[in-house]
Amino acid sequence: MDLRIMGFDSPLSTLQHMLDGVDDADKPVSAPTRTYVRDAKAMAATPADVKEYPNSYVFIIDMPGLKSGDIKVQVEDDNVLVISGERKREEEKEGAKYVRMERRVGKFMRKFVLPENANTDKISAVCQDGVLTVTVEKLPPPEPKKPKTIEVKVA
């Protein structure tokens, strides 16, 4: 079939025309919000190491130049560990100007879904030499159920 007869120059323009004709109701209602985009960038810019030990989980994140007051460690929804904060730009001194600026400034955030055996009541966080270490203790394993013995009576 010659598509030029129908007013289309090529199969690609035909496909584009068909896609343009899609009902507006099928299109997404909204694009990602500004907050979502900001949080996604903050999470991508905050690399972390996660280690599992026999009795705990340890999250290690580099935080050079930050004070403990600049870092927040929280638990949301009973099982989501949230590490967030903000690295502020140094105040410029008079007469000085940046020639190159490579260190990140701004908000940072990471979220980790904790496993079921994480004890959210026993979480500690220590920031030493620019490295934040968050330790989440594990719950003790549940005791195995002992079989219940039922006495058989003679009738």
Side-chain angles (χ1 to χ4, degrees):
M1 171 191 252
D2 190 3
L3 297 172
R4 285 174 281 182
I5 296 172
M6 299 174 65
F8 301 115
D9 296 330
S10 70
L12 288 177
S13 66
T14 304
L15 179 61
Q16 185 62 43
H17 179 74
M18 292 167 62
L19 290 174
D20 288 344
V22 174
D23 208 7
D24 282 345
D26 294 338
K27 291 183 180 177
V29 177
S30 64
T33 64
R34 198 174 272 187
T35 303
Y36 175 83
V37 171
R38 183 195 69 219
D39 289 351
K41 285 181 181 178
M43 289 178 73
T46 311
D49 293 339
V50 182
K51 295 180 182 179
E52 181 178 3
Y53 292 97
N55 296 319
S56 64
Y57 298 98
V58 177
F59 300 83
I60 303 164
I61 302 175
D62 290 337
M63 301 279 172
L66 291 178
K67 299 174 191 134
S68 60
D70 297 332
I71 305 167
K72 234 174 18 177
V73 178
Q74 300 173 303
V75 176
E76 294 178 347
D77 303 325
D78 293 329
N79 73 332
V80 179
L81 177 68
V82 180
I83 301 169
S84 62
E86 184 171 7
R87 179 174 287 120
K88 295 178 178 135
R89 184 177 308 207
E90 294 176 5
E91 292 184 26
E92 293 185 27
K93 296 179 179 163
E94 211 171 299
K97 66 178 184 174
Y98 281 102
V99 174
R100 179 178 294 225
M101 191 167 143
E102 294 182 354
R103 296 184 304 154
R104 292 192 177 273
V105 294
K107 294 187 179 199
F108 61 86
M109 175 180 53
R110 281 303 301 264
K111 291 184 178 187
F112 303 94
V113 177
L114 296 171
E116 287 183 21
N117 67 341
N119 187 350
T120 56
D121 294 328
K122 293 204 175 178
I123 297 177
S124 62
V126 176
C127 191
Q128 182 177 359
D129 297 331
V131 178
L132 175 68
T133 303
V134 179
T135 304
V136 181
E137 299 294 325
K138 288 183 178 179
L139 291 168
E143 292 184 25
K145 290 187 176 183
K146 296 178 182 175
K148 183 177 178 183
T149 305
I150 301 169
E151 183 183 336
V152 178
K153 297 181 182 178
V154 179

